[in-house]
Amino acid sequence: MLLSLYNADEPLTIGILGGGQLAKMTAQAAYRMGLRVAIIEHGANSPAGAMTKIDFPEGWNSPEALEQFIEASDIVTLENEFIDVAILERIAERRPVFPTPETMRLAQDKLIQKTTMANAGIPVPRFARIDTVEQGYEFGATHNYPFVMKTRTHGYDGYGNMTVKRDNNVLVAFKKFTSDPDAPREVMAEEFITFRKELAVIVARNRRGEVVLYPCVETVQENHICRWVLAPALIEARLQKKAQEIALAAVEAVKGVGIFGVEMFLTENDEILFNEIAPRPHNSGHYSIEGCYTSQFENHIRAVCNLPLGSGELITSATVMLNLLGVRPGSGVPDTIVGLLQNPRVSLHLYGKKDSRMGRKMGHLTAIGNSVEDAQERLIKAEQDLVW
Amino acid sequence: MLLSLYNADEPLTIGILGGGQLAKMTAQAAYRMGLRVAIIEHGANSPAGAMTKIDFPEGWNSPEALEQFIEASDIVTLENEFIDVAILERIAERRPVFPTPETMRLAQDKLIQKTTMANAGIPVPRFARIDTVEQGYEFGATHNYPFVMKTRTHGYDGYGNMTVKRDNNVLVAFKKFTSDPDAPREVMAEEFITFRKELAVIVARNRRGEVVLYPCVETVQENHICRWVLAPALIEARLQKKAQEIALAAVEAVKGVGIFGVEMFLTENDEILFNEIAPRPHNSGHYSIEGCYTSQFENHIRAVCNLPLGSGELITSATVMLNLLGVRPGSGVPDTIVGLLQNPRVSLHLYGKKDSRMGRKMGHLTAIGNSVEDAQERLIKAEQDLVW
């Protein structure tokens, strides 16, 4: 199904809500298959918006822009999981939307997300809704300190999380999120997991329920932001398999269609606990572009178009990805990449963001190789040669 | 050097003369590095034109469009080697152009091209300028029949070539090209080479003269159009190396900067003869997208930007590409790719051309694997499942 259903003789147009790097890489995959791409985002010159004429920089909160975006698109998907579900439902009255509004209702709010997983029998950290500061004290008393206070929506890269170390921190944490003058948010609490490793599995699931499970990888965070992804995770095969099973169950629990990033904790007791699910392409899957037979972005397109999914297997023994994070504010363009590119076997991705800031995801580097260690060493060396 | 030199604070914009699939795949590589892309082509909705807002569908023969294209671009390159060199020279007065007008003068006309190679000591088939039909008879008498009559410019995929089997075919061949009412062309003659295999090597060369030689591959033509590319060519290592040396010499003979596809014949005596050079990305290099550490398209961008080149080595033992050629006129969109995609380890590229015709290059399939045979079998099976 590669012709538009709505605009005779035109190629199928994938409409993506959001224009950042995830949309950019999804758009790349769409173009490779001869499709067209429509982007709606708040702001001109987004990384994905630059790659298409069918661009709506007024964003989905503009009724006119949303209308034109719907008209231009055949199948709609997203790169940003915080879109108001009401907007997705409005689109879904007229166009296929994947992931569906139903999936988004189950996934967007971390409390509902966790509850859904727990109800499906998926192992999760202990958690509770926290509507009053008293409930916060109660959680700490029951499950010990430290625990994690989280906003139920709009958290990412550590924003929206706070570790509550003792009872006299509960009030501060609670107020920080619930009384934020710009964006007051509801919160929840979770037990603090002392993990041995953080794991992730990308899952693709198409409209027929066919599934591809990507390898279990290890993610390494620095300052709450993903820095490294090591594929495969250096854990026993049975644990890798367990992680994949949990990831699959998580996607099925939200009736997911599209591409999903499922994050998990590996505890000191070798237990695997569900952490979070992102109903979109995920940072932990960028390694798949060079590393796997089919990238997460291509399988994203195939899944929402209900096409057969491609193999998510690794091509070589190991693939490692290193995020290139902003080291200073200012220009989003590096001073020079000449030194970096003198490393001949690394793949450079720069997202084309105009402005940098500390910790901002500006691009990534990927190396494929015979071992995680070998690939990681090459990336460390290459990044040292990059001058921002 | 990733910022525009001409438009403050804007990312570097690569301007590509031509909007077909070669420009499309080059644009993909440019976007991955955070660059922008400008396309000038005759016609709207070209495969590459769809991927950018900076699109000039009036073409380079329109002075206004050319002017706007030059203004919008920082570095100019091409996917179409038949552009009037005078236009390239006009652009070169204001922007870096690679390959240079000088290279294009040496490469565009097959007679000048062959003469340049011969002068550089590169082994070539015997050839001659044919300005009169008498010279045609003379060539046949001297070098035997059959021989090949070729237009000196604008030939591709077999168009512009005719095999002259005996002396009473000379006149017909000569007139066919020189008296064509639509496009009369000058011609040359070459001895007919009974080859064992046709070989190709992609060469990247940047502005500093740094070079990357891709593997020696075998190309298999059907009806004069490239159908298969087998990487590496199944010939002795010393012959692969010889082919690479000839390819390098050919690119240096035209002072080439950018990416070049050099085609060669392997004779029954294991001699390697230069056949042609294309001063642009080449069909014989598409396998490099999945098959090599750095694709020809990425090295094209790096070369014209004078960045260090990436490794052209194969990632696995073998990679095979199969061209998807039009089997009927009509829509450029296949009826269904579902069957094809049920083959999990093939990479599908569809160029997004609106119309198909017999033999038109509509896309390609690539398989990477442990052997050429294994990859080729998978592609044969996958293509059988494609329904145009």
Side-chain angles (χ1 to χ4, degrees):
Chain A
M1 191 248 287
L2 296 175
L3 270 178
S4 172
L5 297 168
Y6 304 99
N7 299 304
D9 285 343
E10 291 299 309
L12 190 78
T13 299
I14 302 290
I16 309 177
L17 293 149
Q21 68 267 23
L22 303 177
K24 175 179 182 177
M25 290 184 274
T26 298
Q28 297 259 35
Y31 279 126
R32 194 167 302 122
M33 294 177 65
L35 308 183
R36 291 275 171 88
V37 175
I39 297 292
I40 186 165
E41 176 59 275
H42 299 93
N45 293 319
S46 59
M51 291 177 59
T52 178
K53 293 183 179 59
I54 320 171
D55 184 24
F56 304 97
E58 307 83 8
W60 51 82
N61 289 325
S62 152
E64 297 81 22
L66 182 60
E67 175 59 31
Q68 290 171 347
F69 169 80
I70 293 171
E71 275 302 308
S73 305
D74 291 291
I75 296 174
V76 173
T77 189
L78 52 86
E79 64 138 26
N80 176 341
E81 69 269 39
F82 301 126
I83 292 173
D84 192 327
V85 177
I87 290 182
L88 296 174
E89 284 172 337
R90 195 174 320 151
I91 301 172
E93 288 167 10
R94 294 165 56 193
R95 295 290 187 268
V97 179
F98 299 102
T100 61
E102 179 183 13
T103 294
M104 297 303 289
R105 285 195 183 288
L106 295 173
Q108 256 185 5
D109 179 318
K110 285 178 180 161
L111 179 69
I112 298 174
Q113 191 190 111
K114 279 272 176 358
T115 307
T116 304
M117 298 305 158
N119 291 344
I122 291 163
V124 295
R126 281 169 294 192
F127 67 95
R129 153 186 229 120
I130 306 292
D131 289 338
T132 65
V133 68
E134 285 71 35
Q135 288 172 329
Y137 290 124
E138 215 175 285
F139 191 90
T142 312
H143 301 294
N144 294 325
Y145 294 88
F147 70 84
V148 185
M149 190 88 79
K150 287 186 173 182
T151 60
R152 287 167 54 176
T153 57
H154 294 86
Y156 72 99
D157 291 352
Y159 296 110
N161 283 6
M162 181 181 258
T163 304
V164 181
K165 293 186 179 141
R166 59 189 67 81
D167 59 0
N168 58 9
N169 292 158
V170 173
L171 183 62
V172 165
F174 184 79
K175 277 192 169 328
K176 175 179 156 82
F177 297 129
T178 56
S179 313
D180 182 332
D182 295 319
R185 307 242 184 252
E186 291 179 295
V187 295
M188 63 181 290
E190 276 182 32
E191 61 169 323
F192 184 92
I193 300 295
T194 308
F195 53 79
R196 186 155 76 79
K197 289 180 190 284
E198 293 194 84
L199 307 175
V201 171
I202 299 290
V203 179
R205 187 164 181 270
N206 72 13
R207 290 150 66 175
R208 268 186 297 268
E210 292 162 353
V211 165
V212 160
L213 304 175
Y214 280 78
C216 173
V217 305
E218 177 180 357
T219 66
V220 181
Q221 268 58 245
E222 283 173 17
N223 300 322
H224 306 288
I225 304 171
C226 179
R227 186 76 156 117
W228 291 98
V229 175
L230 315 176
L234 297 174
I235 61 180
E236 297 166 50
R238 68 171 184 92
L239 292 175
Q240 293 182 33
K241 194 159 183 301
K242 182 81 197 151
Q244 288 179 315
E245 287 166 5
I246 287 172
L248 172 57
V251 172
E252 290 182 334
V254 297
K255 305 184 176 63
V257 170
I259 194 90
F260 297 79
V262 182
E263 295 179 278
M264 293 157 279
F265 296 119
L266 176 66
T267 70
E268 290 162 324
N269 303 329
D270 276 359
E271 266 189 284
I272 297 179
L273 301 176
F274 172 91
N275 176 15
E276 275 188 27
I277 183 169
R280 51 161 175 81
H282 194 252
N283 204 162
S284 67
H286 296 350
Y287 74 90
S288 66
I289 294 173
E290 292 86 4
C292 300
Y293 284 91
T294 316
S295 77
Q296 64 166 340
F297 302 102
E298 175 157 355
N299 265 339
H300 180 189
I301 295 292
R302 294 195 198 194
V304 304
C305 291
N306 206 28
L307 292 166
L309 303 174
S311 164
E313 285 178 33
L314 284 168
I315 292 170
T316 59
S317 307
T319 304
V320 176
M321 184 219 74
L322 174 62
N323 266 345
L324 298 175
L325 304 176
V327 300
R328 51 145 183 73
S331 170
V333 177
D335 264 8
T336 177
I337 58 171
V338 170
L340 185 154
L341 291 181
Q342 274 158 352
N343 295 268
R345 276 188 223 87
V346 298
S347 302
L348 169 66
H349 297 251
L350 285 174
Y351 301 147
K353 296 177 179 178
K354 198 171 158 67
D355 303 304
S356 182
R357 58 174 185 268
M358 283 296 296
R360 190 177 196 194
K361 291 177 182 176
M362 304 303 294
H364 69 269
L365 287 179
T366 301
I368 63 178
N370 293 326
S371 69
V372 163
E373 197 177 58
D374 161 52
Q376 207 172 0
E377 274 175 24
R378 275 191 278 136
L379 291 176
I380 290 169
K381 160 109 190 16
E383 201 202 19
Q384 283 168 350
D385 297 328
L386 170 62
V387 181
W388 274 106
Chain B
M1 194 244 289
L2 294 176
L3 271 178
S4 171
L5 297 168
Y6 305 100
N7 299 305
D9 285 342
E10 291 297 310
L12 189 79
T13 299
I14 302 290
I16 309 177
L17 293 149
Q21 68 267 23
L22 302 177
K24 174 179 183 176
M25 290 184 274
T26 298
Q28 297 260 36
Y31 280 125
R32 194 167 303 122
M33 293 177 63
L35 309 183
R36 290 278 170 87
V37 176
I39 297 292
I40 185 166
E41 175 60 274
H42 299 92
N45 293 320
S46 60
M51 290 177 60
T52 177
K53 292 182 179 60
I54 320 171
D55 184 24
F56 304 98
E58 306 84 9
W60 52 82
N61 289 324
S62 152
E64 298 80 23
L66 182 61
E67 174 59 29
Q68 289 171 349
F69 170 80
I70 293 171
E71 274 302 308
S73 305
D74 291 290
I75 296 174
V76 173
T77 189
L78 52 87
E79 65 137 25
N80 174 342
E81 68 269 40
F82 301 127
I83 292 173
D84 193 327
V85 177
I87 290 181
L88 296 174
E89 283 171 338
R90 194 174 322 150
I91 300 171
E93 287 167 11
R94 295 166 55 196
R95 296 290 188 267
V97 178
F98 300 102
T100 62
E102 180 184 14
T103 294
M104 298 304 289
R105 283 196 183 287
L106 295 174
Q108 255 184 6
D109 179 315
K110 286 177 181 162
L111 180 70
I112 298 174
Q113 190 190 111
K114 280 266 174 6
T115 307
T116 303
M117 299 306 158
N119 290 345
I122 291 163
V124 296
R126 282 171 293 194
F127 67 95
R129 155 186 228 118
I130 305 294
D131 289 336
T132 65
V133 68
E134 284 69 35
Q135 287 172 331
Y137 290 126
E138 213 173 289
F139 191 89
T142 312
H143 301 294
N144 295 327
Y145 294 88
F147 70 85
V148 185
M149 188 87 79
K150 287 187 176 184
T151 60
R152 287 167 54 176
T153 57
H154 294 84
Y156 73 99
D157 291 351
Y159 295 110
N161 283 6
M162 180 181 258
T163 304
V164 181
K165 294 183 178 143
R166 57 187 68 80
D167 60 1
N168 58 7
N169 293 157
V170 173
L171 182 62
V172 164
F174 183 80
K175 278 193 170 324
K176 175 180 156 81
F177 297 128
T178 57
S179 313
D180 182 332
D182 295 318
R185 307 245 182 250
E186 291 180 296
V187 295
M188 64 182 289
E190 275 182 34
E191 61 169 322
F192 184 92
I193 300 296
T194 309
F195 54 79
R196 185 152 78 78
K197 289 180 189 285
E198 292 193 86
L199 307 175
V201 171
I202 299 292
V203 179
R205 187 165 180 271
N206 72 13
R207 290 150 66 174
R208 269 187 298 269
E210 292 162 354
V211 165
V212 161
L213 304 176
Y214 280 77
C216 173
V217 305
E218 177 179 357
T219 66
V220 182
Q221 268 58 245
E222 283 175 17
N223 300 321
H224 306 287
I225 304 169
C226 179
R227 185 77 156 117
W228 291 97
V229 175
L230 316 176
L234 298 174
I235 62 179
E236 298 166 49
R238 69 169 183 94
L239 292 175
Q240 293 183 34
K241 194 160 181 304
K242 181 82 196 149
Q244 288 179 314
E245 287 166 4
I246 287 172
L248 172 59
V251 172
E252 290 181 334
V254 297
K255 304 185 176 62
V257 169
I259 196 92
F260 297 79
V262 181
E263 296 180 277
M264 290 156 281
F265 296 119
L266 177 65
T267 71
E268 290 161 326
N269 303 328
D270 277 359
E271 266 188 283
I272 299 179
L273 301 177
F274 172 92
N275 177 16
E276 275 189 28
I277 184 170
R280 50 162 175 79
H282 193 252
N283 204 162
S284 67
H286 297 351
Y287 74 91
S288 66
I289 294 172
E290 292 85 3
C292 300
Y293 284 91
T294 317
S295 76
Q296 65 167 340
F297 302 102
E298 175 157 354
N299 264 339
H300 180 188
I301 295 294
R302 295 195 198 193
V304 303
C305 291
N306 207 27
L307 293 165
L309 302 174
S311 165
E313 285 179 33
L314 285 168
I315 292 169
T316 59
S317 308
T319 305
V320 176
M321 184 220 73
L322 175 61
N323 265 346
L324 298 175
L325 304 176
V327 300
R328 49 146 183 74
S331 171
V333 178
D335 265 6
T336 178
I337 57 171
V338 169
L340 185 154
L341 291 181
Q342 273 156 354
N343 294 268
R345 274 187 223 87
V346 298
S347 301
L348 170 65
H349 297 251
L350 284 174
Y351 302 147
K353 295 178 178 177
K354 196 170 159 66
D355 304 306
S356 182
R357 57 172 185 268
M358 284 294 297
R360 191 175 194 196
K361 290 177 181 177
M362 304 305 293
H364 70 268
L365 286 178
T366 302
I368 64 177
N370 293 325
S371 70
V372 163
E373 197 176 59
D374 160 52
Q376 208 172 1
E377 274 175 24
R378 275 189 280 137
L379 291 176
I380 289 169
K381 160 107 189 18
E383 201 202 19
Q384 283 168 350
D385 296 330
L386 169 63
V387 182
W388 275 105

